[in-house]
Amino acid sequence: MKRIMLAAGLLGAMTNLALAQSNVTIYGIVDLGINYTDNVRGNTLTQLQSGNASGSRIGFKGSENLGSGLSAVFQLENGFNADNGRMGQGGRLFGRMAFVGLSSASAGRLTLGRQADALGDYPGGLTANNSWGGTLFTHPFDNDTSGSFTLENSLNYTSPTMNGLTFSSAIGLGEQAGSFSQNSTYSFGMRYNNGPLTLAAGFINLNHPGMKGGVPSQIDTGSISNADVNFVSDHQQTIGLGAGYVVGAAAINMIYFHTKIKNPVGLQSFPGQSENVDPYLQRLSGIEFNNFEINSMYKLSPSFSLGTMYTYTQGSAQMAEGGRRVKPVWHMLGAMLDYNLSKRTDIYTQVAYQRRAGQRTGTDLDSAHIAGTANISSSNQQGVVRVGLRHRF
């Protein structure tokens, strides 16, 4: 009996020690609302839509103390559509995030798996869509991947923060035999925090996103799958710069993103394409986007907050035949009024408006299209009003 009691005591002590050295957190968000869009290919549309302000999700994250300041870390995050219960991100079980790694306060953190890139983490974190507003405030066609972009089969290193400065780099493996670069990605980023001031910069390079063997195809290998890619193309590069400042109850951010795309053949934003191929988009041999955004968030009271944003996007598209350049322009306005019912539950309303101006390309890029809406407008303007309820746990 004494041996049994001793064994039980040792087992209990070992269990308590393990619990003291490791922890797991279950968390999530359910965001659901009613959207009214004034023009979807010439018709109005009212729909119940999930995750516009914050993607609906359930996740698990944790760490284990390995000693000497080293920890094992992991995060698994499932995205789902609360309006119909289906999984998001192309039906993946953990489509928002799935990684494991090691972390040290003195050496930084190295993670492996499906995770965010450095551009989206740092300057992208200052945009309205990534900081407080969500999908409806994404730059036109998410041309700079600042809205929602996740690298598969990737390695990500984040440095320790030194004097307010943090660096990050990521590489996504292409995983295609005979070609290391095809469908591969690499990105770099930095962020500087000093009291109310935040400065950030980032870069991402995408090789043949959404393509296999130089041909657009439904693929789920490499760093960029068809469920994630924005522009299917031969090549894409984006650089981003951002600055933010907090003054009392107000936070103001300014962001610039430049994107250069070579030989675009398709765009995920346009529904109904076969393997993300748009024959009209292939009229262009290349297109560039310059996105200038300013946004602000103001706490009207402990419960009320008001966010506003404006983005000016100037494009430069080169026609495949003749090499003529055309310069389209997009104007994007958005606002969000949020009321906290409690620390974890809020109700909100959002308004987004986009107007397409400038020269025409002869493609669907000539129409207005707000991210998250069902389809492009039949004109150069599109507007959305949303009333949503969001709960965090």
Side-chain angles (χ1 to χ4, degrees):
M1 177 64 71
K2 289 182 179 180
R3 290 180 179 178
I4 294 175
M5 293 179 65
L6 178 61
L10 288 173
L11 181 61
M14 292 173 63
T15 302
N16 289 334
L17 180 61
L19 289 174
Q21 291 180 334
S22 63
N23 66 84
V24 176
T25 301
I26 301 175
Y27 65 93
I29 298 175
V30 183
D31 178 11
L32 197 56
I34 297 176
N35 287 19
Y36 172 81
T37 308
D38 68 345
N39 189 325
V40 178
R41 290 199 177 273
N43 299 296
T44 61
L45 176 63
T46 303
Q47 59 186 144
L48 195 65
Q49 196 159 355
S50 174
N52 277 174
S54 301
S56 295
R57 71 196 74 171
I58 182 169
F60 310 86
K61 62 181 178 180
S63 64
E64 180 188 12
N65 186 352
L66 302 177
S68 302
L70 185 66
S71 297
V73 296
F74 81 92
Q75 188 165 355
L76 303 171
E77 191 170 291
N78 166 264
F80 62 91
N81 299 316
D83 53 337
N84 55 29
R86 296 172 184 160
M87 287 192 289
Q89 290 79 47
R92 292 173 174 80
L93 178 59
F94 295 112
R96 291 184 60 88
M97 218 169 292
F99 66 77
V100 65
L102 296 172
S103 179
S104 165
S106 59
R109 188 175 83 156
L110 176 66
T111 52
L112 301 86
R114 178 175 167 87
Q115 52 199 319
D117 70 281
L119 176 77
D121 264 352
Y122 290 164
L126 294 172
T127 61
N129 64 301
N130 267 354
S131 57
W132 51 263
T135 305
L136 296 180
F137 304 140
T138 303
H139 299 161
F141 311 107
D142 196 12
N143 66 81
D144 47 22
T145 74
S146 66
S148 176
F149 194 73
T150 310
L151 297 182
E152 296 190 340
N153 303 297
S154 67
L155 296 84
N156 186 307
Y157 171 74
T158 302
S159 74
T161 299
M162 298 170 287
N163 298 318
L165 190 62
T166 307
F167 292 92
S168 179
S169 62
I171 180 171
L173 303 181
E175 296 191 333
Q176 296 195 31
S179 176
F180 179 82
S181 65
Q182 189 153 141
N183 207 19
S184 66
T185 306
Y186 58 87
S187 68
F188 306 96
M190 60 78 63
R191 179 178 58 222
Y192 173 72
N193 287 324
N194 185 357
L197 175 67
T198 299
L199 301 174
F203 167 84
I204 190 169
N205 183 88
L206 293 75
N207 292 307
H208 304 283
M211 304 181 78
K212 184 176 183 179
V215 178
S217 59
Q218 292 284 2
I219 57 175
D220 200 14
T221 59
S223 65
I224 317 158
S225 78
N226 282 65
D228 299 311
V229 69
N230 300 307
F231 281 88
V232 179
S233 65
D234 282 348
H235 186 252
Q236 177 175 337
Q237 283 187 345
T238 300
I239 61 170
L241 302 171
Y245 199 81
V246 178
V247 184
I252 302 172
N253 299 317
M254 292 183 293
I255 307 98
Y256 168 73
F257 279 86
H258 173 77
T259 296
K260 186 175 183 179
I261 299 167
K262 181 181 178 182
N263 294 327
V265 297
L267 184 60
Q268 190 193 61
S269 299
F270 298 158
Q273 295 180 7
S274 173
E275 297 180 342
N276 286 10
V277 174
D278 182 354
Y280 294 102
L281 198 60
Q282 296 179 44
R283 295 175 178 174
L284 309 179
S285 62
I287 186 168
E288 299 182 32
F289 297 89
N290 289 291
N291 304 281
F292 303 87
E293 178 187 334
I294 182 168
N295 69 72
S296 65
M297 171 58 67
Y298 184 74
K299 293 288 291 184
L300 300 171
S301 73
S303 297
F304 267 112
S305 61
L306 174 65
T308 59
M309 61 83 63
Y310 169 71
T311 298
Y312 172 80
T313 299
Q314 183 182 60
S316 178
Q318 186 168 19
M319 309 303 296
E321 293 186 10
R324 181 174 61 93
R325 280 202 171 270
V326 296
K327 295 186 177 181
V329 172
W330 293 266
H331 300 274
M332 184 82 188
L333 286 166
M336 176 176 178
L337 185 63
D338 191 15
Y339 178 71
N340 293 318
L341 298 171
S342 69
K343 290 184 178 180
R344 296 188 299 169
T345 303
D346 61 317
I347 56 174
Y348 63 87
T349 183
Q350 294 179 321
V351 178
Y353 170 77
Q354 186 184 111
R355 183 170 69 88
R356 166 67 164 80
Q359 297 173 313
R360 299 179 64 83
T361 65
T363 72
D364 281 343
L365 297 176
D366 295 336
S367 299
H369 184 227
I370 296 173
T373 59
N375 215 313
I376 62 174
S377 170
S378 63
S379 72
N380 69 331
Q381 300 180 69
Q382 191 173 60
V384 182
V385 178
R386 174 177 174 86
V387 178
L389 174 65
R390 177 171 52 184
H391 176 74
R392 300 175 175 88
F393 60 91

